[in-house]
Amino acid sequence: MFEREDFRRGVALLGDLGYTYDSWHYHFQNDAFAELAEAVPGTTIVLDHFGTPCGVGDYAGKADEVFAQWQAGIKRLVGCPNVVVKIGGLAMPVNGFGWGENERPPSSDEVAAAHHDYYLRTIDAFGPERCMFESNFPVDKLSLSYNVYWNAMKKFRYVIPMRSSMRCFTRPPRGFIDCPKANIEAPQRIFFSQSRPKTISATPLLLLSLIHISEPTRLLSSAYAGVGVKKK
């Protein structure tokens, strides 16, 4: 889908209108995603959930291989100045940690240890100016509780340099909250939201997606690319 000219025109139109574009896809689609970002430099594009490292199906039991492939994709995306990242959402079943299948849920120490390299490598690569923490609840609740997630993030607070972690936690990068038609000022507080999005009427666009509004009050469109978790 990222390669389609009509889709790219739709994403470019979002930028022309002053909106941003959110994409949720898998790590093995990051090269195609980078080509999309390069083709529409006037649109701020939000990479959701780190570009979802996949750990099931063909990728089950290949954590090191997945991390290497994911990291190569991240390095390429850093060169696209219109790409910013939401860091979180690594506790979905598709990530392959298997926590939802265990007799007991993971502790915050387990979560912090398993996710440590993804968070630090992404912040190091993009810089805190282009990163924003997210919770991805209630989806991540399939694997852990919100309290466990929150405590794991507080533990990251001690390994991420003070200045960087404060920027990621408290001030979203410019572009995450651009909302020209709503004309609402962004709240200055920690951006962990459990609010359920409210659907609004979408401007006709050449996109296979919905435009909706959610806290912290920003318009976004999500493309659910790569259904099926298989290699190309």
Side-chain angles (χ1 to χ4, degrees):
M1 184 171 65
F2 292 144
E3 296 91 345
R4 286 174 44 177
E5 288 303 318
D6 58 346
F7 186 80
R8 291 184 176 189
R9 287 195 299 271
V11 176
L13 180 58
L14 283 176
D16 293 340
L17 294 173
Y19 296 123
T20 61
Y21 169 68
D22 272 52
S23 179
W24 177 37
H25 58 266
Y26 297 112
H27 75 277
F28 50 83
Q29 296 171 298
N30 274 336
D31 283 339
F33 176 69
E35 292 174 3
L36 168 67
E38 292 165 355
V40 291
T43 300
T44 297
I45 301 181
V46 183
L47 176 66
D48 289 347
H49 312 327
F50 293 95
T52 306
C54 181
V56 298
D58 292 341
Y59 299 92
K62 300 179 180 179
D64 291 342
E65 178 182 329
V66 167
F67 185 82
Q69 187 178 2
W70 168 83
Q71 188 170 225
I74 289 296
K75 287 181 179 178
R76 180 175 180 184
L77 288 170
V78 168
C80 302
N82 56 324
V83 174
V84 292
V85 190
K86 287 197 291 190
I87 51 178
L90 285 181
M92 294 182 285
V94 73
N95 296 121
F97 292 104
W99 290 324
E101 302 167 6
N102 295 340
E103 184 177 344
R104 292 185 177 182
S107 67
S108 58
D109 286 330
E110 290 177 85
V111 174
H115 293 175
H116 175 277
D117 287 349
Y118 283 103
Y119 280 86
L120 267 64
R121 295 294 176 85
T122 301
I123 294 171
D124 284 346
F126 282 92
E129 300 83 6
R130 296 168 67 185
C131 297
M132 182 180 77
F133 277 86
E134 57 160 337
S135 72
N136 197 39
F137 268 72
V139 181
D140 280 0
K141 196 173 182 179
L142 292 168
S143 299
L144 45 76
S145 71
Y146 190 81
N147 287 345
V148 167
Y149 174 79
W150 179 255
N151 286 334
M153 295 304 101
K154 287 194 290 184
K155 290 170 181 177
F156 279 136
R157 174 71 180 74
Y158 294 102
V159 296
I160 300 172
M162 170 80 74
R163 189 172 180 179
S164 295
S165 62
M166 287 303 294
R167 295 195 66 163
C168 291
F169 268 110
T170 62
R171 289 183 179 271
R174 184 171 182 80
F176 271 102
I177 55 173
D178 288 349
C179 189
K181 293 193 175 180
N183 193 27
I184 299 173
E185 183 178 353
Q188 296 299 316
R189 58 182 178 74
I190 292 178
F191 280 77
F192 276 86
S193 171
Q194 299 182 75
S195 300
R196 186 173 182 178
K198 291 192 301 181
T199 301
I200 64 172
S201 298
T203 304
L205 297 172
L206 297 173
L207 292 173
L208 303 175
S209 58
L210 292 174
I211 294 179
H212 59 276
I213 190 166
S214 63
E215 192 177 347
T217 315
R218 56 190 170 77
L219 291 174
L220 55 88
S221 64
S222 296
Y224 294 91
V227 177
V229 192
K230 288 187 178 180
K231 296 181 182 178
K232 292 183 178 179

